[in-house]
Amino acid sequence: MKLIIAIVNDEDAIDVIDLLNEKGYRVTKLATTGGFLKSGNTTLMIGIEADKVDAVLGIIEETCKTRHQVVTNPSPLSTTTGVYVPYPVDIEVGGATIFVLDVDNFIKI
Ligand code: 2BA
């Protein structure tokens, strides 16, 4: 048994969940927040048999798209005055960040 933990963009979450459900995979959706951007993303937990991992990763890959996001960081204008001005930085947010964990016990009561 494996547990896939996939952090995906909010905008892709519904599509990937729908597709996973259509193919018979069960999913738990968590509303999460990225530590760097401090903005919302979605974490999916998917428990599956080991031989289904590649199929699930394929569905995530085909659904979740990489995006560019511009964040505004404060930049020191002068170290002596301590004045900060914002400047835009382009960052690439991945289609999905995925952890595949081994699960020893899967219990349903
Ligand atoms: P955030 O932490 O909000 O990060 C969003 C994007 O900001 C990252 O995209 C990366 O491009 C950039 N970024 C993050 N930390 C950075 C840093 N210290 N310096 C410069 N740029 C940085 P992704 O790497 O695709 O990550 C998307 C989201 O996946 C992250 O949102 C976080 O919620 C999660 N994540 C990524 N790697 C993780 C890890 N190793 N452990 C736990 N969560 C992770």
Side-chain angles (χ1 to χ4, degrees):
M1 193 82 188
K2 301 276 188 183
L3 176 65
I4 294 181
I5 298 177
I7 303 159
V8 304
N9 198 293
D10 282 347
E11 290 172 30
D12 296 326
I14 297 302
D15 287 344
V16 73
I17 291 168
D18 284 350
L19 203 50
L20 287 165
N21 281 334
E22 269 172 36
K23 306 266 183 189
Y25 301 109
R26 297 178 182 200
V27 184
T28 294
K29 172 185 182 294
L30 304 171
T32 47
T33 304
F36 186 70
L37 293 178
K38 312 279 189 298
S39 65
N41 54 27
T42 297
T43 298
L44 305 177
M45 296 198 305
I46 307 151
I48 41 160
E49 301 303 326
D51 62 349
K52 305 280 189 348
V53 168
D54 287 345
V56 168
L57 295 184
I59 291 169
I60 295 171
E61 191 175 3
E62 78 182 57
T63 321
C64 298
K65 305 284 172 255
T66 296
R67 290 177 173 81
H68 284 264
Q69 195 161 332
V70 176
V71 291
T72 306
N73 275 359
S75 160
L77 189 61
S78 152
T79 48
T80 50
T81 61
V83 175
Y84 284 79
V85 291
Y87 70 100
V89 179
D90 182 83
I91 59 160
E92 185 179 280
V93 183
T97 298
I98 300 170
F99 303 88
V100 181
L101 282 68
D102 289 318
V103 174
D104 290 335
N105 291 309
F106 172 67
I107 301 164
K108 267 189 147 179
I109 297 172

